[in-house]
Amino acid sequence: MDNKNSSAKIAANNRYTQKTYDRINLAVPKGQKQIIETHAAALGLSVNGYIKEAINEKIEREALKHE
């Protein structure tokens, strides 16, 4: 069985993603991408998951400061 998605499946996934998620493009200094990938992998996270977790932790810390 071929594991490739049909063009209809890809289009449906793209529509769902556009409707459900906002995208942010992130640029980091040369070399930092590898550092992020290494830390994410060590925690069993994707780079996206690692960055989202880091952002959420920062938001929570800042919220506590303003209480």
Side-chain angles (χ1 to χ4, degrees):
M1 182 155 111
D2 194 29
N3 287 335
K4 290 196 176 201
N5 289 324
S6 68
S7 59
K9 173 78 170 163
I10 292 168
N13 286 342
N14 288 341
R15 284 191 304 275
Y16 173 81
T17 299
Q18 282 185 320
K19 182 172 66 173
T20 309
Y21 298 101
D22 289 326
R23 296 194 61 84
I24 298 173
N25 292 324
L26 176 67
V28 296
K30 289 281 186 190
Q32 191 171 21
K33 178 182 174 188
Q34 182 60 49
I35 294 167
I36 294 167
E37 289 172 339
T38 301
H39 283 272
L43 294 171
L45 296 171
S46 65
V47 170
N48 192 63
Y50 182 79
I51 291 170
K52 289 190 315 185
E53 189 174 288
I55 291 168
N56 287 334
E57 288 176 11
K58 173 105 172 134
I59 290 169
E60 287 176 21
R61 280 194 313 270
E62 289 176 355
L64 290 174
K65 285 181 186 178
H66 294 92
E67 286 184 355

